[in-house]
Amino acid sequence: MIDKKLRGAAAVVGVGHAGLGMATGYTEMEILIQAAKRAVDDAGLTMQDIDGIATASVASTMWVMPVIEHLGIRPTFIDSTMIGGSSFVAHLMPAIQALESGQCNAVLVCYGSTQRTSTLSRSMIGNMRKQMDPQPYENPYNPLSPLSSYALAAARHMHQYGTTRENLAEVAVAARKWAQLNPEATMRDPLSIEDVLSSKMVSDPLTVRDCCLVTDGAGAFVLVRADRAKNMKQKPVYVLGNSTACWNRQISSMHDLTVTAAQQSGKIAFEMAGVKPSDIDVVEVYDAFTINTILFLEDLGFCKKGEGGAFVSNGNIAPGGILPVNTNGGGLSCVHPGMYGIFILIEAVRQLRGSCGERQVDGAKLAVVHGNGGTLSSQSTAVLGTAETL
């Protein structure tokens, strides 16, 4: 039985972006601070009001400490858990627990990366990871990581369930159609199924258009207790459910390449929230590759296992479709600076606030956010809702 005491106990009251696309001339710390200040200002707070922080970095194990220095804060709650791109969705529960216990009163969750414009060699980082984060069943074969791992999952799904490359392409095309409604999105040019299929094959069956962007970007959001959120500057968005699961580090250690730990995190998050997939108005999932969207829609219960390919087809997840998915354009067309999880949460908050302009989902009251880390490794699911859903 899931303890529902923390359902709706905290709310997101501020969000901020910075440096989306290319942040030429700025460091990742500089754009992180810009996003953090915008989120705090959006909440109607000052940096002196922030007494809790959660952040993570691909390159630095002690990243939270210089972030604290640059922000000029003295937090009583600190979380630097790093489990890949899902980290910022996974930061929700510890932050909520810290708020509810009285350990702190306002938590800032933040991330920044200049992956696109940085002079730091990505190959150098990759070689360092092989020493510091050994994956003994994969590294000896020198795969094109993480791309080859996701291609492996895609190939298995195609073999096992008859999923086609056209189905995968539908995900990329839907994301682009949402991006065309988002002035902040990096890629807004028209994209067709044929464009995806005919683009350069990178790791069979995934082409370059099946893969996420490489961009810069920073994001941040602020959490406070629900009782305080009612009287703040912005319309609060409540965290109704959250759960994180991890079953493997290496994709070669997955028991089934078509089933992720999202089945576990999703089940618990939905149960905590007291809602089901059919109740959800908008879905934001970590779409580092087109196969991700299909796998997560299945594992979270929006369709049956093996039916994800058909579910995303015929424009079903595009604007005007049966289920709005990745409404900012996703990691495939909007932004993807190494770790994308914070941006899906920010987009969900904006949708539930009703502030998304041309891409706004009418009457959105419930949203699912799902983060992914590693190579289908860590999974974190959150259910967010407006005051009407409490």
Side-chain angles (χ1 to χ4, degrees):
M1 191 71 179
I2 303 300
D3 188 350
K4 296 185 179 181
K5 284 189 301 184
L6 295 179
R7 181 191 188 275
V12 179
V13 293
V15 295
H17 278 155
L20 302 188
M22 293 181 67
T24 305
Y26 289 94
T27 67
E28 59 188 14
M29 182 65 77
E30 288 170 335
I31 61 172
L32 181 151
I33 300 304
Q34 290 173 22
K37 288 182 176 178
R38 288 171 186 171
V40 171
D41 181 66
D42 188 52
L45 299 173
T46 68
M47 204 58 74
Q48 284 64 48
D49 296 313
I50 301 299
D51 55 1
I53 187 167
T55 189
S57 165
V58 171
S60 172
T61 56
M62 299 186 188
W63 179 244
V64 71
M65 291 193 271
V67 171
I68 289 169
E69 279 187 345
H70 280 79
L71 291 173
I73 61 175
R74 295 185 176 183
T76 51
F77 166 72
I78 299 170
D79 183 4
S80 58
T81 302
M82 167 57 175
I83 53 172
S86 65
S87 298
F88 313 101
V89 184
H91 286 157
L92 284 170
M93 185 54 71
I96 293 167
Q97 291 170 331
L99 287 165
E100 190 67 4
S101 70
Q103 186 177 345
C104 60
N105 296 300
V107 179
L108 172 69
V109 182
C110 51
Y111 170 67
S113 167
T114 50
Q115 180 178 255
R116 175 76 179 269
T117 57
S118 173
T119 57
L120 187 61
S121 167
R122 293 174 69 195
S123 62
M124 183 187 301
I125 294 175
N127 289 332
M128 289 173 61
R129 277 191 193 156
K130 288 180 181 180
Q131 301 299 319
M132 300 177 71
D133 179 24
Q135 298 180 51
Y137 303 115
E138 296 178 13
N139 285 352
Y141 300 96
N142 199 28
L144 184 60
S145 184
L147 178 54
S148 295
S149 295
Y150 287 92
L152 188 67
R156 181 64 195 180
H157 202 277
M158 293 169 74
H159 169 78
Q160 193 161 327
Y161 298 113
T163 307
T164 66
R165 286 187 60 211
E166 286 79 8
N167 295 148
L168 296 172
E170 289 267 11
V171 175
V173 170
R176 183 62 58 87
K177 287 181 177 178
W178 283 112
Q180 289 175 319
L181 302 176
N182 180 8
E184 294 179 320
T186 300
M187 296 195 72
R188 303 180 67 201
D189 296 336
L191 184 71
S192 67
I193 300 294
E194 183 53 40
D195 290 336
V196 179
L197 298 178
S198 62
S199 61
K200 180 182 178 181
M201 182 66 71
V202 189
S203 189
D204 193 9
L206 303 181
T207 72
V208 67
R209 292 290 165 244
D210 288 293
C211 304
C212 64
L213 306 174
V214 177
T215 73
D216 298 338
F221 63 89
V222 177
L223 278 167
V224 300
R225 283 185 292 276
D227 56 353
R228 185 183 183 192
K230 296 176 185 177
N231 303 311
M232 295 190 67
K233 180 179 175 182
Q234 299 289 355
K235 175 183 177 180
V237 172
Y238 298 88
V239 183
L240 305 180
N242 180 225
S243 179
T244 301
C246 181
W247 295 347
N248 58 281
R249 170 64 180 97
Q250 304 164 102
I251 199 165
S252 56
S253 294
M254 288 179 72
H255 292 285
D256 184 335
L257 289 169
T258 70
V259 178
T260 76
Q263 281 195 344
Q264 177 180 316
S265 63
K267 181 177 183 296
I268 295 172
F270 275 119
E271 189 173 338
M272 178 180 172
V275 300
K276 53 189 183 298
S278 60
D279 297 322
I280 302 301
D281 300 306
V282 60
V283 178
E284 311 292 346
V285 299
Y286 197 123
D287 60 338
F289 302 92
T290 50
I291 186 60
N292 292 38
T293 301
I294 291 173
L295 289 175
F296 298 147
L297 288 173
E298 292 175 348
D299 288 344
L300 294 172
F302 290 96
C303 59
K304 293 180 180 178
K305 178 55 64 180
E307 296 180 2
F311 186 84
V312 302
S313 296
N314 303 311
N316 283 343
I317 62 172
I322 61 173
L323 182 67
V325 176
N326 296 340
T327 53
N328 62 347
L332 292 166
S333 283
C334 181
V335 61
H336 196 290
M339 295 195 290
Y340 176 60
I342 202 161
F343 300 97
I344 47 177
L345 192 137
I346 291 170
E347 175 65 10
V349 169
R350 287 177 162 184
Q351 284 287 345
L352 296 183
R353 283 182 178 180
S355 63
C356 285
E358 198 177 355
R359 70 184 188 279
Q360 179 63 47
V361 176
D362 290 339
K365 296 181 180 64
L366 284 168
V368 160
V369 172
H370 182 76
N372 164 73
T375 48
L376 295 177
S377 309
S378 66
Q379 307 295 329
S380 189
T381 311
V383 180
L384 307 181
T386 62
E388 299 166 69
T389 65
L390 290 175

